[in-house]
Amino acid sequence: MPRFPHLSSRLERLTGSVFEKFLPKMRQKGGDLVRLHIGDSYLPPTYPLPLADEFMQKHPFFNRYGNTLGVEELRAALAEKVRRDNRLPVSPDHIMPTAGACNALNISAAGLLDPGEEALVLTPAWPFFFGMVKAADGLPVEVPFYTRLYENPQLDIFSYLEQFISPRTAALYLNTPNNPSGKVLNRAQLQQICDFAREHRLWLISDEAYDGMVFDGREHLSAAAFPEMFPQTLSVFTFSKVYMFAGLRLGYLVAEHPVLKNLNKLMVHQLYSPSPLAQYLMVAPVKTRREWSAAFVEHCRELRDLVTQNLRVPHHTPEGTYFTFFSIRGCLNGREYWEVIDQCLDAGVSVAPGNDFGKDYGDYIRICFAGESPGRLNIALERLNRVLAGR
Amino acid sequence: MPRFPHLSSRLERLTGSVFEKFLPKMRQKGGDLVRLHIGDSYLPPTYPLPLADEFMQKHPFFNRYGNTLGVEELRAALAEKVRRDNRLPVSPDHIMPTAGACNALNISAAGLLDPGEEALVLTPAWPFFFGMVKAADGLPVEVPFYTRLYENPQLDIFSYLEQFISPRTAALYLNTPNNPSGKVLNRAQLQQICDFAREHRLWLISDEAYDGMVFDGREHLSAAAFPEMFPQTLSVFTFSKVYMFAGLRLGYLVAEHPVLKNLNKLMVHQLYSPSPLAQYLMVAPVKTRREWSAAFVEHCRELRDLVTQNLRVPHHTPEGTYFTFFSIRGCLNGREYWEVIDQCLDAGVSVAPGNDFGKDYGDYIRICFAGESPGRLNIALERLNRVLAGR
């Protein structure tokens, strides 16, 4: 059984980079080694590129194949970030850049689950994770969770989770700050999840895409920072949220080095490596994050307040992320759920349907409050209030 | 059986983008629609980026999530390119950008093969393709091929391939210009492969990563341009070779639109989409390719000549790509193969071992002649000649 510390058997079928066995000797030879083994060209692109000369000079390998475990400069910057901000005991060897958090979650699911094994998915959850578990021939077991914590912050999480476990459970998928509910787990809540995972030897897949996007003085806590949890946890981060750069398709996975090396075998067969250009682009923003990130989070908090003040439907105040997630059952007035979604579109506002986030949320909708300017968000809220009121 | 026109059954387990069902109505609403359904931020990154202002103004969505089927400007530019240069009957709907050719080949293998099915792999072949077939629970069946064509250009390909087919064969993997042998298939050779695929209703996976990298007046031919072959072929291209930008991790898949939409389900679960930034960056280079690409190919031809003139080991003259692939059996003089590879490293030159390209090539090595400057390539050739001569 591939419960912690075992990985999925599919990894045994795959080999890593074909050049890996030569790396120690190649490193030892250094600059004298003439590298004829890789299929790449020594020239920078000979057509114009809209990149600053200074950047290309500083990172002359921006256009080349890079180490599939990540470019050194970014791993070093991220190790410093993860140590300080997330309090994880890491070196650059514990960091692997990926093609977004999406790719990190995919290789985590495929690398942990053998066919027929189950992953507990705390819901509401990011829709694609269910498909990733299924693509790995696993079974997602939905555990309605974050919305319950709004109603009952004292929920006995350990006992609650035990209702969902089976002899085939291999992993637990956790997401704080939570998309779509905006829930941010506190220390006591996260501690119980960690205790549960340790007790049952489950791998934790800790999706921290909204790392740092927390409001009202809250703190984002990383599960892997809890005692004994680092070896048992795959922590997933992204540049798509606080870094405002979804178009980069860059994220990173934090775990023990042997785990990363194994999951890397899946990644190299999917896409070789995430973009070295993207990785070099993010070295400076990681280092300067304290200079700019707080203002963005504060702006999201303002947008959150705009929603909580103007949305005329009962909803919980999001504690983090840029989402609000609420039931519209009380607004249907005889209409079908999908009819209302369609009426929203007709009124000129698109919302995400709740059932994508878990089967218990068929009468919910999710709205993102950071994807449009405050002016347009206000227009959307007026339209939404009108449709939901049935006017 | 998922032979042409059937795709693999794993696709049935996956859903595509959760927003897809709303796209027609969303398009119809246009700019008036306030988009609260997607998790993105409306601001450009608030930290400095080394990107030209003009570029960011021209492509204001460079930092946002994009259509997972690809950004419109790039698909339009590529459709024009594929129509003209590859002579395929395409519109932008037949183009899907991917995270390199690697990702396109991965989703092709996973999207075509059901567990236990076989893919004929013409060898020597790009090493990762074997792993992709295995990752899809398929079986790669190696067909020694490109090296034989150097020895016998008149090989009866149709009859030869028939020796390798079984009732479980679902696809044929083809790569011209070929990495690692440098072989470029001519019209008669490619015609026989197409006839064979049509006769046996096999999907063709046509890896054209070295599209356009052909020497001495040769022409690169695309299998999908042959009569009746377009619907049966997945054509794979990249920006890593002629575009000199492996660090972008961008490629594209060309196929019938319904096939692309199905394979897209695999891609969105692996990485959502390839980088929109990368896609926008390549719009102009695709349009201006006639201005700069010939000079690069000519430079590669010069480097090829440098190798064929100075390498003191029997080898065939590469017809395309930037690789030479040759047996060193005659140079061993009592040494083990791996001893010689190690001696190359000790002498300061790294080569790619032949057995990674197919089990028939255990005594071959591949060298890339474009990855280092001409000066360093010359040094490497001297070192290689010395080691192979046993001096």
Side-chain angles (χ1 to χ4, degrees), chain A residues 148-191:
Chain A
R148 304 220 167 176
L149 290 184
Y150 275 121
E151 283 137 34
N152 176 16
Q154 309 305 327
L155 178 72
D156 178 347
I157 293 173
F158 194 103
S159 309
Y160 177 63
L161 293 177
E162 290 214 309
Q163 301 171 52
F164 298 90
I165 201 157
S166 91
R168 302 164 76 80
T169 315
L172 186 150
Y173 170 74
L174 164 76
N175 168 230
T176 179
N178 175 247
N179 166 15
S181 71
K183 188 74 197 164
V184 176
L185 297 186
N186 66 28
R187 191 169 295 279
Q189 293 161 343
L190 208 45
Q191 182 67 61

Side-chain angles (χ1 to χ4, degrees), chain B residues 68-377:
Chain B
T68 62
L69 288 166
V71 308
E72 209 173 303
E73 292 92 322
L74 184 65
R75 292 168 86 195
L78 287 174
E80 189 274 345
K81 178 264 172 192
V82 170
R83 272 198 308 272
R84 282 203 186 199
D85 299 5
N86 305 102
R87 303 181 191 181
L88 308 189
V90 298
S91 74
D93 276 350
H94 298 105
I95 313 278
M96 182 168 78
T98 55
C102 182
N103 183 232
L105 291 170
N106 178 295
I107 61 178
S108 296
L112 297 181
L113 299 172
D114 262 334
E117 291 196 321
E118 295 168 6
L120 300 185
V121 179
L122 305 188
T123 65
W126 184 62
F128 284 116
F129 191 73
F130 302 112
M132 290 174 179
V133 171
K134 290 180 204 158
D137 299 316
L139 294 169
V141 174
E142 300 189 21
V143 181
F145 186 68
Y146 303 101
T147 47
R148 304 221 167 178
L149 290 183
Y150 275 122
E151 284 137 34
N152 177 15
Q154 308 305 326
L155 179 72
D156 179 348
I157 293 172
F158 194 102
S159 308
Y160 177 63
L161 293 176
E162 291 215 308
Q163 302 170 52
F164 298 90
I165 201 157
S166 91
R168 302 165 77 79
T169 315
L172 186 150
Y173 170 73
L174 164 75
N175 169 228
T176 179
N178 175 247
N179 166 13
S181 71
K183 188 74 198 166
V184 176
L185 297 186
N186 66 29
R187 189 170 297 278
Q189 292 160 344
L190 208 45
Q191 182 67 60
Q192 288 183 76
I193 295 173
C194 291
D195 291 344
F196 179 79
R198 252 195 348 276
E199 171 84 13
H200 293 283
R201 301 190 67 195
L202 304 182
W203 284 97
L204 261 195
I205 302 174
S206 178
D207 178 350
E208 304 180 35
Y210 295 88
D211 177 26
M213 289 198 66
V214 294
F215 311 134
D216 314 317
R218 284 185 183 79
E219 193 187 359
H220 166 62
L221 299 172
S222 293
F226 282 66
E228 301 176 53
M229 289 309 296
F230 185 72
Q232 199 156 345
T233 305
L234 308 188
S235 307
V236 173
F237 300 90
T238 186
F239 288 95
S240 299
K241 307 303 175 183
V242 165
Y243 288 76
M244 298 161 265
F245 212 157
L248 204 59
R249 307 307 310 124
L250 190 68
Y252 52 105
L253 188 54
V254 181
E256 291 282 18
H257 187 64
V259 174
L260 291 183
K261 281 191 68 169
N262 264 299
L263 300 190
N264 181 263
K265 295 195 287 185
L266 291 166
M267 188 177 78
V268 296
H269 284 88
Q270 287 179 354
L271 50 91
Y272 194 65
S273 83
S275 160
L277 170 68
Q279 294 181 61
Y280 289 119
L281 281 173
M282 286 301 102
V283 174
V286 169
K287 289 181 177 170
T288 62
R289 69 195 179 279
R290 288 174 196 280
E291 295 165 24
W292 55 264
S293 63
F296 176 65
V297 175
E298 173 61 11
H299 181 54
C300 290
R301 200 269 309 153
E302 288 166 0
L303 296 170
R304 192 252 346 231
D305 289 351
L306 209 150
V307 171
T308 51
Q309 282 154 22
N310 294 308
L311 181 63
R312 304 266 165 267
V313 180
H315 61 280
H316 294 285
T317 301
E319 300 170 349
T321 76
Y322 39 53
F323 301 110
T324 310
F325 190 61
F326 52 93
S327 170
I328 61 167
R329 196 187 312 184
C331 314
L332 296 178
N333 288 322
R335 295 173 292 182
E336 295 288 330
Y337 174 86
W338 288 103
E339 201 180 338
V340 175
I341 303 298
D342 207 50
Q343 287 173 357
C344 288
L345 279 176
D346 285 334
V349 51
S350 59
V351 302
N355 70 335
D356 287 334
F357 300 91
K359 59 182 184 310
D360 289 87
Y361 301 98
D363 56 6
Y364 278 63
I365 63 175
R366 183 193 78 174
I367 63 174
C368 171
F369 47 79
E372 297 270 9
S373 67
R376 280 172 63 83
L377 176 60

